Amino acid sequence: MTQTEFLVLLPALTLAVAALVVLLADLFLPAERKQLTGWLTLIGFAAAGLSLTTWPAGMAALAFSGMLIADGFASFLTLLFVIAGSVVTVLSLGYLPRFGIERAEAYVLLLLSASGMVLMAQAQDLIMVFLALELLSIPLYVLAGLARPRLSSEESALKYFLLGSFASGILVYGIALVYGATGGHTDFQGIVGIQSGELRLAGLFDPVLMPFGVALVLGGLAFKIAAAPFHMWTPDVYEGAPSVITAFMSVAVKAAGFAALLRVFIQAFPLQSVQWAGAIAILAGLTLIIGNFAALVQNNVKRMLAYSSIAHAGYLLVAVPAAVTQTGANTTLSFDVLGTILFYLLSYGLTTLGAWAVVTTIERREADGESGGLTLDAYRGLWSRRPGLALGMALFMFSLAGLPPTAGFVAKYLVFSVAIQAGLLWLAVLGVITSLVSAGYYLRLVVMMFMRPGEPTVADTWGARLTVGVMAFATLGIGLFPYPVIQMAQRSVMAFLR
Amino acid sequence: MLTSIPVYAYVGLSAVLFALGLIGVLTRRNAITIFMSIELMLNAANLVFVAYARHNLNMSGQVFVFFVMVVAAAEVAIGLALIVTIFRSKRSIDVDALRQLNG
């Protein structure tokens, strides 16, 4: 392993080593000092974030025979995974003991899953995408069932596992077909190379098999990002899993799924962009409609946020077809679009983490072991009881609905404008209409908190208060002064390798 | 001299296996049968990998089969553990009986 390879691998390696350290520490710590494993996890995430500074700025470094890459895209997303992981750890410090599920495995699996996400954002080969996807998914299947023997948690884990491995099966069959169609290539550059110039004429490329492979890869990844019609698992899994884990899934897994989607479709399949852009546009439209309308009728806040995360996958997908435009034999990549998607992922991620932090404070443990305090009614009168939390939640709801002056507004504005520039006017109009619909269910929660009388039971911890405060500050800050963050996102995709 | 079997024959067979797995996942209600159907889908992919590795004389396809098998083994470990857990609580592994979360 050369020094470059070591540095390229460093963030993922740091997370994996931290997982092993936490696992070992758990062995020697007495039961009353288990909190320490959480703090070790935080140190692990911080170290992974710091290790990003060793990456060469402004350029891309390939390693491991072109399997992994260290570029701005990967480092931006790694930063997002590290933020999500740290926030979830901070929330878990209070949440897990309160629900009687303080197990160090939670932190170990969280770190391992995050290392899979980092590798996913760095992947340059379809096999690497598959392995990273499994590394991030398998720990999450267990995490969803962490609250065992609570039945809804076990059920959520089994459903997630069955549908997740079903999606992996579809993805790996797609990869196999691409491998066959390209005469033995799974690396992104090789897949593009075999289809152009003299190599294409040599007859190694199979144009009949290729579209099937691309379609199956799209189907497999659409499951992971919870795009309709592959979203059915999302509400059940999000509702049953412990809330802190759901927060991690709705932010980090979604970002990792989009990382893979962008890497694969922009770097490996740019020559099929006419076909997949149409398919993704249709998926985006369906996801917007189904996510937003289904969220309207939910009475459970976790299910409502699950459908909201489906809807946001739809908004993100709106921008994806605009990323590659094909004129004749030339494909041009739009850096604006990639930057927009990264900015959207960041502002959605920060807002959603804040919203889930509030959900963990209202959630309580019932006598039968199941979770209570998850209905909209549980938020009645939050404003009179805990004005800080209520204000924070209102801000997050405004941001998710896309109202100014929040980060969500800027993100949606950017997505719709790139869609219009790419000639996808119908999709942008659909996006605006469904945004108006979404205000219906987001504001319903705000009305409950501010205008309905009630005595909510709130069990907040310093972790939840800190998270709500920081995320509210970030949501408002990015909303008022978006340019530095937009520029950061745009700069980070400049080195996106073709 | 025997004429060799064309590579599309293998792809066709794998497509049949994949379709069987897909139908199994969508129609069966027993968690273990669903899981077996998923394994069938993974093996369909493995068949394509080895067929094309032979066809193109490119050994990376065979290496990928090992990766897929390792991942499948990891999934078996987690999957059976989850199924046992849910059987302990519900005395059933029928996915239709999983009605706690109305989805």
Side-chain angles (χ1 to χ4, degrees):
Chain A
M1 192 154 66
T2 63
Q3 200 196 352
T4 325
E5 287 179 333
F6 177 72
L7 289 180
V8 169
L9 194 60
L10 195 56
L13 200 62
T14 312
L15 291 169
V17 169
L20 296 180
V21 171
V22 173
L23 200 58
L24 263 181
D26 179 45
L27 210 56
F28 297 106
L29 283 172
E32 68 273 11
R33 299 183 63 191
K34 291 288 181 211
Q35 286 272 320
L36 218 61
T37 53
W39 289 104
L40 279 174
T41 309
L42 264 185
I43 294 172
F45 277 118
L50 281 177
S51 71
L52 282 176
T53 55
T54 62
W55 284 9
M59 57 168 281
L62 278 168
F64 298 103
S65 321
M67 280 272 176
L68 292 178
I69 193 171
D71 60 2
F73 181 81
S75 78
F76 188 95
L77 282 164
T78 304
L79 201 62
L80 181 57
F81 301 144
V82 165
I83 293 172
S86 320
V87 168
V88 167
T89 310
V90 167
L91 290 176
S92 299
L93 285 173
Y95 182 91
L96 296 185
R98 196 151 60 82
F99 285 79
I101 48 173
E102 191 176 26
R103 299 172 178 144
E105 302 94 278
Y107 299 118
V108 176
L109 293 168
L110 203 63
L111 284 163
L112 286 175
S113 180
S115 75
M117 289 168 183
V118 173
L119 290 175
M120 188 106 137
Q122 290 185 271
Q124 286 293 298
D125 190 296
L126 288 175
I127 286 300
M128 198 62 232
V129 170
F130 172 65
L131 287 177
L133 186 75
E134 292 299 319
L135 181 55
L136 89 83
S137 299
I138 292 177
L140 277 173
Y141 301 148
V142 185
L143 282 174
L146 188 71
R148 158 187 91 77
R150 176 158 68 81
L151 199 53
S152 54
S153 175
E154 290 180 356
E155 189 179 320
S156 143
L158 188 65
K159 283 183 176 171
Y160 194 24
F161 165 73
L162 286 176
L163 286 165
S165 43
F166 177 57
S168 306
I170 294 174
L171 178 77
V172 79
Y173 193 68
I175 293 174
L177 290 184
V178 171
Y179 171 81
T182 54
H185 280 284
T186 48
D187 55 313
F188 296 169
Q189 284 178 346
I191 291 170
V192 178
I194 200 88
Q195 300 175 57
S196 42
E198 292 162 17
L199 282 171
R200 190 188 180 107
L201 297 175
L204 284 169
F205 178 65
D206 185 342
V208 182
L209 216 50
M210 189 69 178
F212 291 102
V214 174
L216 287 169
V217 171
L218 178 61
L221 290 177
F223 256 105
K224 282 293 154 192
I225 56 171
F230 308 105
H231 67 286
M232 300 83 71
W233 57 274
T234 319
D236 284 4
V237 172
Y238 279 22
E239 185 189 344
S243 294
V244 282
I245 304 304
T246 314
F248 191 64
M249 288 198 270
S250 65
V251 176
V253 177
K254 186 142 303 198
F258 270 94
L261 194 77
L262 293 173
R263 284 269 189 224
V264 171
F265 281 85
I266 289 171
Q267 287 191 277
F269 305 145
L271 300 171
Q272 279 75 29
S273 66
V274 178
Q275 289 93 331
W276 63 249
I280 289 181
I282 293 167
L283 279 185
L286 265 178
T287 311
L288 285 176
I289 294 170
I290 291 175
N292 280 309
F293 280 94
L296 271 180
V297 295
Q298 299 306 323
N299 225 352
N300 180 307
V301 175
K302 278 175 98 172
R303 283 184 91 81
M304 189 267 268
L305 284 174
Y307 279 108
S308 144
S309 93
I310 295 171
H312 283 277
Y315 294 114
L316 280 155
L317 279 175
V318 166
V320 176
V324 179
T325 43
Q326 198 156 23
T327 44
N330 297 321
T331 52
T332 38
L333 185 59
S334 166
F335 292 107
D336 283 357
V337 175
L338 288 173
T340 300
I341 294 173
L342 288 187
F343 179 80
Y344 198 108
L345 280 172
L346 181 72
S347 42
Y348 162 78
L350 297 179
T351 307
T352 309
L353 285 172
W356 280 107
V358 178
V359 171
T360 61
T361 63
I362 309 288
E363 189 179 359
R364 61 176 184 272
R365 195 179 180 191
E366 300 287 10
D368 61 350
E370 290 289 334
S371 286
L374 292 172
T375 54
L376 279 173
D377 283 334
Y379 289 77
R380 280 168 177 269
L382 190 63
W383 164 245
S384 54
R385 195 74 182 265
R386 300 301 304 271
L389 283 181
L391 269 182
M393 192 62 164
L395 186 68
F396 301 137
M397 290 300 119
F398 285 156
S399 179
L400 287 174
L403 300 175
T406 56
F409 167 74
V410 183
K412 270 188 185 160
Y413 174 79
L414 288 174
V415 161
F416 295 150
S417 61
V418 296
I420 290 169
Q421 276 165 26
L424 291 163
L425 189 65
W426 66 274
L427 212 47
V429 170
L430 187 66
V432 173
I433 294 171
T434 51
S435 283
L436 292 176
V437 172
S438 78
Y441 56 86
Y442 290 127
L443 295 186
R444 201 148 63 104
L445 186 60
V446 178
V447 168
M448 280 292 173
M449 291 188 301
F450 284 81
M451 296 174 192
R452 298 276 185 275
E455 286 289 308
T457 47
V458 185
D460 61 344
T461 54
W462 64 267
R465 276 199 298 268
L466 179 74
T467 307
V468 172
V470 171
M471 294 309 158
F473 181 75
T475 306
L476 203 58
I478 296 176
L480 290 173
F481 307 102
Y483 290 103
V485 186
I486 294 173
Q487 271 177 349
M488 190 176 101
Q490 304 282 24
R491 254 205 312 276
S492 68
V493 292
M494 280 304 171
F496 201 90
L497 263 195
R498 288 297 314 278
Chain B
M1 185 70 190
L2 283 167
T3 48
S4 63
I5 300 170
V7 70
Y8 272 139
Y10 294 99
V11 178
L13 176 61
S14 83
V16 170
L17 284 176
F18 184 76
L20 283 175
L22 206 67
I23 294 165
V25 172
L26 297 177
T27 58
R28 291 311 183 98
R29 301 279 52 111
N30 181 304
I32 291 191
T33 318
I34 293 177
F35 191 42
M36 281 162 57
S37 305
I38 292 168
E39 293 293 309
L40 202 58
M41 291 164 69
L42 291 177
N43 285 325
N46 284 348
L47 185 61
V48 177
F49 273 130
V50 288
Y52 272 100
R54 182 76 185 85
H55 180 69
N56 295 323
L57 300 177
N58 171 331
M59 283 307 111
S60 59
Q62 302 200 2
V63 178
F64 297 156
V65 171
F66 279 107
F67 279 123
V68 174
M69 282 159 76
V70 168
V71 166
E75 277 185 349
V76 169
I78 297 295
L80 292 184
L82 288 175
I83 292 171
V84 168
T85 316
I86 207 128
F87 182 76
R88 278 195 190 141
S89 333
K90 286 209 73 136
R91 294 283 138 197
S92 158
I93 49 168
D94 189 328
V95 286
D96 279 344
L98 302 177
R99 284 259 164 262
Q100 189 85 14
L101 307 163
N102 45 340

